[in-house]
Amino acid sequence: NNGTYEGTGEGKKGPVVVSVTFENDKIISVEVTAQEETPEIAAIVFENVPTQIVKLQGTEAVDTYAGATYTRDAIVMAVDQAIEQAKIN
């Protein structure tokens, strides 16, 4: 489905909210719209994971990041929620 869907995952410091945009049944963007993670630790995850999800067209093989596992997992969980919403609508 085309459109933008939101998902939420639980990070180390609280919810991580993402916005996932689909076009022609493909993920064209993933944006973290709200989060409370520690900037020094989570920055690399916020820079790399959304881009990787777009490239992979899913969350299955997303890299892990030492010290930022909760943040990475929160993004993956949130994107998976958005993907499920896109399938339903």
Side-chain angles (χ1 to χ4, degrees), residues 60-81:
E60 301 247 336
V62 173
D63 292 339
T64 57
Y65 292 86
T69 303
Y70 287 108
T71 305
R72 178 254 186 218
D73 290 351
I75 294 172
V76 167
M77 185 185 314
V79 170
D80 285 343
Q81 272 186 13

Side-chain angles (χ1 to χ4, degrees), residues 20-43:
V20 183
T21 302
F22 297 87
E23 193 172 284
N24 298 321
D25 294 324
K26 292 192 185 307
I27 299 170
I28 61 164
S29 75
V30 174
E31 181 182 346
V32 177
T33 57
Q35 54 87 16
E36 299 174 20
E37 303 298 277
T38 306
E40 301 80 23
I41 296 169

